Each structure stands twice: as C-alpha cells, then as structure tokens.
Amino acid sequence: MNVRRSAAVLAAVAVIGAATPAAADPSPSPSQAFPSALYGGTDPKYDGVWRQSLALLAQDTVGVKPAVKSVEWLARQQCADGGFASYRPDPTAACDAKTMLDTNATSAAVQALTALGGHDDVTGKAVGWLKSVQNEDGGWGYSPGGASDANSTSVVIGALAAAGDKPDQVVKDGKSPYDALLKLALPCGGDGDGAFAFQPDKKGGLAANADATAAGVLGSLGKGMVVEPGKKSDATCEKATTPQQAAANGAGYLTAALAKDHGHLMSALAGAEPQPDHGNTADAVVALAARGDTAQAEKSVRWLEKNSAAWAAQSGPAAYAQLIFAAHATGTDPRDFGGTDLVKQLNATGPAPRTAGETKAAGEKDDSGSGSFGIWWFVGVCLVAGIGIGFLFSGRKKKQQP
C-alpha cells in the first residue's frame, strides 16, 4: 500500500515547504523522545499505530511474545468510539471532532490485537466502528466518508476476517466489500489486463496500480496480512464477476509485472528515476502465495533475500514485518533471510520481547504520553527512504489517485 502514505508525506513536504523558512533546522531535538513502548525511531505522526501493529503481528507470526507495554500502548491508542487515529501523542486525552480517525490504522490494530489475543473488547469496538463508516458501495476510504479505494477496502476485509466476521455479509445498502473491489478491477487485455486500480480518476477511469493490485488480490481472497500458501487454480484472465476471478486476474497481472523486472516491482517518487520497490514486491509475494501462485512468489522472495537488507534497515519495523510476512507465506526462514535475521532486526527496533513466564518488565513505566521529532526531520527521512515501503507507506491523510 505504498502510494497512499507516500502521497501523505509528499503533501506534507509541499505544505511545510511553502510555509516554513528554508533555513529551518531539520535535525531532531535531543530533548524530545518517543514513547519507549513504540517500535521504530521516526516521527509516528503518520504511521505510529500502523507500524506498531505490523511489528506486533510479525512477532506473533514467528512465535515471539511482544513486550507487554508495547501491546498495551497499541490498545490505548483507541478512541472511545472504537476507531484508531494514525497516532495519538496523548491517549489519555479524549478524541474529539478534530481527531483524524483512520480505517487503515484501525484495521491493522484489529489484525494485530486479534492475533495476540486478550483484547476482544478493543477489537470488537474497532470492528463496530469500521462497519459504521462503510461506504454505500460496500467499501472504505482511508478516512471515514472518503471515496472507497482498493487498499483501504482490502485491509478492512483482513480485519473483518481476523475478527471472525464474514466480509460478504458486511453490507451497506446491499453492497459488500467485494462489490467495491469488483468495481475497481480492470478488464482483461490492454495495459491493465486484470489489475486493480487504487480509485477511479476524476472522470471515472481506472488505471492499473501494482500496489493496489497486491492489496486487491488479498482482499478478494478474504485474507489479511498473514497468509498460508493457498491452492492454485488454473483460471485465466476473464471478466471478473466474482471476487475469486478478480483475484486470479490480479495475480496474473502481478506475475507478469514481477517477471518483467526480474522478480521485483518498480517505483519512483515524483521526479526520481524508477528503482526497485521492495515493499510492494513483498506485498505482491504475500498476495501470490495466498492464491497459490507459488512459483513466482518464490522467485520474488529470493530476490528480496538478496536485495532487501539495506532497504529494511533504513525503513524500520514495518518493512521488517513485510519481509517476515513474505517469508512466512512462502515457507522461507525469516531468521536466515539471505543471511539476515529479520526477527532479530525487528526486535531491535523496539522493546525487548517477553521472556518465558514474564508478564511485565521490571520497572516498567506508563509512557503513553507524547514527544516527537520535528516534522522537517521526518520528511527528510521519508524523502530518502520512502520508496517501496509498501504497506508501511499506505497513504495517510490524503486521497491518492492512480
């Protein structure tokens, strides 16, 4: 889900660049610090709940028990109505009309907390909130009331499935999430050839988007971020009248796109030269594996093993989580991923995991308050490292047209 969070970061660059003197110091202040329960060292303003959720879910996937305070931090980010914002510096302060609730953060938190267990009250309220903001076409946008997009709709489907709901039975005005995804599926033939669009453009046209396609395939299969290899069908690209056919079409598009560029997808920020997109490649691996298209998924995960170490180290916990999800989906050892121990690297970005029998770390304090680095520094990091963060940079706060 690269395009949407990247758009939010670039939008922040544009706004801040226009309003702030060029001489502003981009460096973080040594006196400022983030909650010690949080994974990652960059400003959590746009992705705190998202990256925390992915980190905890990835740890659970590989049998690691996250630190108690990290799980509690995530649960405390919830607003009273059940929704989650991207990040609340002070979760003791009540949410109000100015709190920007976020379907993506809410859905990621549901998937993580459901997997960890013991938070049925939190996840139940979150699912209730998601259902309350469903659009009339059956889908979801990033923000409540925003136009439905393939990425947001798909991550909500993953949350519904994780919580035990049947997505096809979650309807608004007779439309389910699958109906929304089918409307974003491109026909076979031409440049789109079965891909998904992120959203229709201003004229209602659809443009193929590999990031949205990876999400759309998972959503159409009713899957979340953590998948087991599926059973491959021999379906060819045909008119998508069912979510299963849409998933088959999208998988075919991803397979061709990955093969074209030697096993990976390509991406570029505006004005930059195209370069390998590690995050969306990892997402595509998960999507293909979920449908049982293991041949290309395994080729692409081998490419990630050889080429993703520097990207993940620069990008942080959600990037490590994406790679762990790709490894899990293909039966690859995440503790020896091209010579890198992804689990160790992920654990190092936050509090040490629990040991056997541990329920609370000695001297553990409640640090649910605020503290953040300057936005200039955050934007600078994102401009350097923002390419290919897939789910991590899923678009926060801004709509993204394909």
Side-chain angles (χ1 to χ4, degrees):
M1 297 184 180
N2 180 37
V3 291
R4 288 176 295 158
R5 187 179 289 281
S6 294
V9 173
L10 292 176
V13 174
V15 172
I16 296 164
T20 309
D25 183 2
S27 302
S29 168
S31 64
Q32 294 174 320
F34 303 132
S36 65
L38 183 66
Y39 278 80
T42 56
D43 193 319
K45 181 176 181 179
Y46 295 106
D47 75 333
V49 168
W50 180 265
R51 76 187 190 211
Q52 188 85 345
S53 298
L54 266 66
L56 301 182
L57 182 58
Q59 288 180 321
D60 178 78
T61 300
V62 296
V64 171
K65 292 185 178 297
V68 171
K69 67 177 181 179
S70 293
V71 180
E72 291 179 346
W73 180 91
L74 178 59
R76 287 197 298 266
Q77 286 284 303
Q78 186 177 45
C79 293
D81 64 1
F84 284 73
S86 297
Y87 173 65
R88 295 171 60 206
D90 181 10
T92 64
C95 299
D96 57 25
K98 295 181 179 179
T99 305
M100 300 285 289
L101 298 181
D102 172 345
T103 63
N104 290 231
T106 302
S107 297
V110 168
Q111 294 190 49
L113 294 173
T114 299
L116 292 167
H119 293 84
D120 291 352
D121 55 338
V122 176
T123 57
K125 287 176 62 179
V127 168
W129 179 81
L130 288 169
K131 291 178 180 179
S132 76
V133 297
Q134 186 176 17
N135 290 334
E136 292 180 356
D137 63 5
W140 286 266
Y142 167 77
S143 299
S148 297
D149 66 75
N151 299 60
S152 297
T153 300
S154 295
V155 75
V156 174
I157 288 174
L160 295 173
D165 280 78
K166 294 182 178 180
D168 62 339
Q169 296 180 8
V170 177
V171 297
K172 181 73 173 289
D173 290 350
K175 301 291 185 181
S176 80
Y178 296 131
D179 292 311
L181 287 180
L182 287 172
K183 291 181 67 174
L184 295 170
L186 277 73
C188 299
D191 293 336
D193 201 22
F196 285 84
F198 175 71
Q199 283 177 332
D201 61 25
K202 294 180 180 179
K203 296 182 179 180
L206 300 179
N209 183 299
D211 174 39
T213 302
V217 170
L218 271 183
S220 296
L221 294 171
K223 302 293 185 181
M225 300 178 195
V226 180
V227 305
E228 304 294 336
K231 294 182 179 179
K232 179 177 174 58
S233 70
D234 295 325
T236 57
C237 195
E238 299 177 358
K239 183 177 180 179
T241 58
T242 66
Q244 292 77 17
Q245 185 62 54
N249 294 351
Y253 175 87
L254 289 176
T255 297
L258 290 164
K260 176 184 176 183
D261 288 306
H262 310 290
H264 60 83
L265 298 174
M266 298 292 292
S267 180
L269 292 173
E273 290 295 322
Q275 54 188 291
D277 189 328
H278 301 79
N280 284 340
T281 298
D283 296 344
V285 166
V286 174
L288 290 177
R291 212 192 77 85
D293 295 292
T294 54
Q296 183 59 59
E298 290 174 357
K299 290 178 182 178
S300 293
V301 85
R302 299 288 88 80
W303 182 89
L304 288 169
E305 282 188 294
K306 294 177 182 178
N307 297 282
S308 65
W311 165 76
Q314 189 177 49
S315 302
Y320 283 119
Q322 286 177 265
L323 295 176
I324 289 172
F325 297 152
H328 177 80
T330 55
T332 304
D333 185 358
R335 291 179 170 82
D336 185 13
F337 196 80
T340 297
D341 186 338
L342 297 176
V343 180
K344 180 180 179 180
Q345 299 282 27
L346 171 61
N347 292 346
T349 67
R354 280 178 284 166
T355 58
E358 181 183 0
T359 58
K360 190 170 184 178
E364 187 173 298
K365 297 179 180 180
D366 180 1
D367 60 357
S368 59
S370 61
S372 64
F373 293 167
I375 186 67
W376 271 103
W377 177 78
F378 172 64
V379 167
V381 171
C382 290
L383 286 176
V384 173
I387 294 177
I389 306 186
F391 276 146
L392 171 62
F393 282 150
S394 287
R396 301 289 188 216
K397 311 297 182 231
K398 299 290 182 182
K399 296 178 184 177
Q400 169 73 29
Q401 298 295 332

